[in-house]
Amino acid sequence: MGRDLRAEAWTTVAGLRAQSLKAWTSGALLRELLEPSGAYPRRRSLKRPTAAALLTDYAAAQRWAAELFGGAGPYELETAEVGRRTVGSNRIPAAAVFATVEDEIGFVGKSREAARFRELAAALAGLDPLLPDWAARRPLKLLELGPDALTAARVALWLRDNPLPGIYVRQLGLPGVHTKFIERHRQVIDQLLAAVDQRADVVDEAEADADGSVDAPLETAEPDVALDDGAGRTPAARFARRHGFLHPPELVRFRILDPEIPALGNARDITVTAEAFSTLQLPVHTVIATENQVNFLALPDRPGTLALYGAGYGFSSLRDAAWLRDCEILYWGDIDTHGFRILDQLRAVHPHVESVLMDEETLLAHRHAWGTEPSPSRATLTGLPAEESALYDALGNDKYGPSVRLEQELVNWDWALERLRPGG
């Protein structure tokens, strides 16, 4: 006898367990432990044989029903009458009923995790009665963090009681709390603070997943901070700013490419704070900004020129350097979507920035050096002229191949020097 495709559609014990496991994975079962919704006893309908199926393969239907009856215990079965006019009256499983959420949790083998969740949620409640609301919204995150969630909650409560502390994170005297702990858990600390203090200046960028879970991170991996918004260029800097911690100042590294310009003795490679950089008075008329350190170090002498090291989305430090408005600024970045996004953000502060070595001619001349961009940007960029915008769109639309990129350090050096020379 051939395979009965109808039998494959009937809900088996494994299929029923998959339904319950999906409810666990979404956090719904754990949430029910803290905030009973009245859904239990919960009835889960079963896809079952029709009267026609009983007539054509009664034995398969018997085996299917026996398996479900054999698995009963965590659930009870409701039955329905089928086949009275064809093969005679038969009562077959129609729905599985879980009397309690604990029964359904046990059915998927998660009782130990549920007990741990209850312990952690109770410990959070002991710290502040508002914290279990966070646990109900992010139950799987609480299980994932374990005791670290309690430590993060203590940090959140400290921030509530000590707004704008004016100290470095390193100076927090809470047990088990250190700078690396804050760096790892700043998103959860923000969430917990929002749960206990409606006044908190918390930017919650989390989005609910399709299953209703809201465990998404607060801050996205892709930098999305405009250069002129004053927020700081790193997540740690933005966290410090939000909560009134001190944070190490942004630094600007530059090289004076003109040996005739006096600096600090013979120093030509100099690092200063962004604030100090904004006050410089140097006799330069050209600035070459690059994100690659080797390119930055290898740029040759050039009259009246300063080289600037940006390190990716690192040009926010130029926001207050008003003297750059009187300079020609050349930006050399990767030929990929993020390279153009950095260029677009740089122009938000200094609109007269010109790109160099970020054109289709350079891209096509270095086909042998192409790589793949891991996560192309899909942002709409408004600071690109027509030629740059066309290349950005072409890269985003895979005109040259899937997620093509040309990293700036792979551009032939002679090719680069020819186009970087004055008038090149």
Side-chain angles (χ1 to χ4, degrees):
M1 183 175 179
R3 185 177 60 172
D4 191 336
L5 297 179
R6 290 173 298 181
E8 293 182 0
W10 304 339
T11 303
T12 62
V13 171
L16 179 60
R17 185 171 285 110
Q19 291 182 41
S20 296
L21 191 58
K22 183 178 180 182
W24 169 271
T25 303
S26 74
L29 298 186
L30 287 174
R31 193 172 298 115
E32 191 73 25
L33 292 174
L34 290 187
E35 299 178 347
S37 65
Y40 288 85
R42 180 182 288 277
R43 181 180 184 277
R44 296 199 181 275
S45 297
L46 304 173
K47 294 180 180 179
R48 58 188 189 272
T50 63
L54 290 179
L55 185 61
T56 57
D57 199 343
Y58 191 81
Q62 278 187 314
R63 289 192 298 271
W64 167 82
E67 181 196 25
L68 283 169
F69 279 113
Y75 60 84
E76 295 183 355
L77 287 173
E78 289 183 359
T79 61
E81 187 179 42
V82 178
R84 173 179 293 183
R85 296 181 179 179
T86 54
V87 295
S89 180
N90 288 268
R91 301 201 67 83
I92 65 174
V97 180
F98 295 94
T100 66
V101 67
E102 288 86 355
D103 288 339
E104 188 160 17
I105 288 172
F107 180 57
V108 294
K110 299 292 185 180
S111 295
R112 182 179 298 178
E113 290 88 339
R116 182 62 176 144
F117 171 77
R118 273 182 158 149
E119 291 175 2
L120 291 167
L124 284 176
L127 295 174
D128 189 284
L130 294 175
L131 288 172
D133 178 65
W134 174 85
R137 294 180 62 212
R138 295 175 170 86
L140 296 178
K141 178 60 70 175
L142 176 57
L143 266 184
E144 175 191 334
L145 292 172
D148 281 351
L150 304 180
T151 304
R154 293 186 181 96
V155 175
L157 293 172
W158 188 92
L159 287 172
R160 181 195 62 187
D161 298 336
N162 297 272
L164 305 177
I167 62 174
Y168 289 99
V169 169
R170 172 70 177 83
Q171 295 174 277
L172 276 175
L174 298 175
V177 177
H178 45 77
T179 304
K180 288 186 177 179
F181 179 88
I182 298 291
E183 289 176 353
R184 286 198 302 268
H185 301 299
R186 61 179 177 271
Q187 299 165 356
V188 169
I189 292 168
D190 271 348
Q191 294 168 356
L192 291 164
L193 179 58
V196 298
D197 187 359
Q198 294 181 350
R199 300 167 302 169
D201 180 18
V202 177
V203 181
D204 191 342
E205 300 170 6
E207 295 182 359
D209 297 330
D211 59 12
S213 172
V214 284
D215 287 339
L218 287 176
E219 293 169 322
T220 58
E222 179 178 303
D224 196 24
V225 179
L227 295 176
D228 61 345
D229 73 354
R233 75 189 190 203
T234 66
R238 295 196 287 275
F239 179 90
R241 178 179 181 270
R242 278 199 299 276
H243 302 301
F245 284 107
L246 300 177
H247 194 72
E250 281 191 277
L251 300 177
V252 179
R253 183 179 179 185
F254 62 93
R255 289 180 61 229
I256 299 174
L257 301 184
D258 187 343
E260 301 301 320
I261 295 178
L264 301 174
N266 293 324
R268 289 290 177 267
D269 189 336
I270 302 169
T271 300
V272 298
T273 65
E275 182 181 3
F277 185 77
S278 70
T279 67
L280 291 182
Q281 297 181 16
L282 295 172
V284 298
H285 52 70
T286 301
V287 172
I288 302 175
T290 180
E291 339 163 21
N292 179 263
Q293 186 179 48
V294 174
N295 288 346
F296 166 79
L297 294 172
L299 288 171
D301 290 350
R302 174 171 165 158
T305 301
L306 178 149
L308 199 61
Y309 179 45
Y313 284 85
F315 289 112
S316 57
S317 52
L318 308 184
R319 184 181 57 252
D320 299 322
W323 60 271
L324 289 175
R325 297 168 190 165
D326 299 322
C327 297
E328 176 190 32
I329 304 178
L330 305 177
Y331 172 67
W332 178 15
D334 295 332
I335 303 182
D336 61 13
T337 61
H338 284 284
F340 283 108
R341 190 171 182 185
I342 296 168
L343 173 62
D344 181 77
Q345 291 190 359
L346 184 53
R347 284 196 180 123
V349 180
H350 298 291
H352 63 294
V353 171
E354 298 179 21
S355 65
V356 62
L357 293 160
M358 296 179 67
D359 51 77
E360 187 178 53
E361 181 186 14
T362 298
L363 177 67
L364 297 179
H366 294 80
R367 187 182 297 269
H368 62 282
W370 288 0
T372 301
E373 189 175 16
S375 301
S377 171
R378 305 299 179 191
T380 299
L381 307 184
T382 59
L384 305 182
E387 185 175 345
E388 292 172 354
S389 183
L391 183 51
Y392 173 75
D393 291 341
L395 291 167
N397 295 328
D398 294 336
K399 174 183 176 181
Y400 308 103
S403 303
V404 164
R405 73 181 307 201
L406 174 61
E407 297 180 76
Q408 57 194 270
E409 62 263 37
L410 299 179
V411 173
N412 178 273
W413 191 242
D414 290 336
W415 177 284
L417 289 182
E418 177 67 22
R419 284 150 183 81
L420 287 170
R421 65 179 176 81

